[in-house]
Amino acid sequence: MGILLRLLLLIALIIIIYSFWKYWNNSRRKLEAAHQKKQFYLLDDQQNVRKNLLATHKGVMFEGEKYVGTTEKAFEVVTISLWVIESEHLRGFQREDFTFLEREILALYPEAAIEWNSPVKEFMQQLEAERPGKR
């Protein structure tokens, strides 16, 4: 009887440790933690093109849809359409913040062109128009 009880306690302990390990290594949890801490985190499954990528930077959550196309060498992700999930949190964002996000995404998908959706698209176009020496 005592051996059976010890065996059950050992199994319960293993299950608890395994559950904690799975929770701690969960990518969604890491994304939410970075979002609350206003840090950068990029969640993406590069093997699954149908799955959208999620990124957080300075407390703003972004979502991106990947589109596959042909390049000179192979089929690759050629376009990524990005949008802000909650645009009211964009207050204080500057062009450098958006270019930082673009650089991080292009590190994963070097063949991709990033297309911003509203309101970021209009913001970036306005900055391009205001740039001195630009015709």
Side-chain angles (χ1 to χ4, degrees):
M1 181 71 174
I3 295 175
L4 183 62
L5 184 60
R6 288 180 186 167
L7 184 62
L8 289 174
L9 283 173
L10 180 64
I11 291 172
L13 183 63
I14 290 171
I15 290 172
I16 290 171
I17 291 171
Y18 176 76
S19 299
F20 179 75
W21 179 259
K22 291 294 278 186
Y23 169 77
W24 188 255
N25 288 326
N26 186 326
S27 298
R28 272 306 253 214
R29 184 201 63 78
K30 291 178 182 179
L31 177 74
E32 290 298 325
H35 180 66
Q36 288 184 356
K37 293 178 183 176
K38 298 186 177 188
Q39 297 174 337
F40 172 75
Y41 189 80
L42 179 65
L43 174 64
D44 182 35
D45 184 2
Q46 289 184 297
Q47 304 304 322
N48 188 355
V49 179
R50 293 183 178 188
K51 195 171 185 180
N52 289 355
L53 64 88
L54 293 168
T56 183
H57 182 56
K58 293 187 177 182
V60 180
M61 188 75 71
F62 299 90
E63 187 170 358
E65 190 170 356
K66 303 175 277 191
Y67 299 98
V68 174
T70 58
T71 63
E72 292 179 8
K73 298 177 185 176
F75 285 95
E76 297 285 341
V77 173
V78 294
T79 307
I80 299 175
S81 178
L82 281 175
W83 62 90
V84 180
I85 294 179
E86 296 174 340
S87 60
E88 61 269 6
H89 294 141
L90 281 175
R91 185 167 186 235
F93 252 62
Q94 299 176 359
R95 180 180 177 82
E96 292 81 26
D97 298 317
F98 296 112
T99 55
F100 171 77
L101 282 169
E102 288 177 352
R103 276 194 315 270
E104 293 296 323
I105 293 170
L106 289 174
L108 297 176
Y109 301 103
E111 302 290 331
I114 297 178
E115 297 174 355
W116 289 98
N117 291 359
S118 291
V120 178
K121 178 180 179 180
E122 288 80 11
F123 175 70
M124 298 293 265
Q125 287 173 344
Q126 178 184 0
L127 288 177
E128 286 295 323
E130 293 175 358
R131 194 178 266 184
K134 179 94 173 163
R135 289 190 173 224

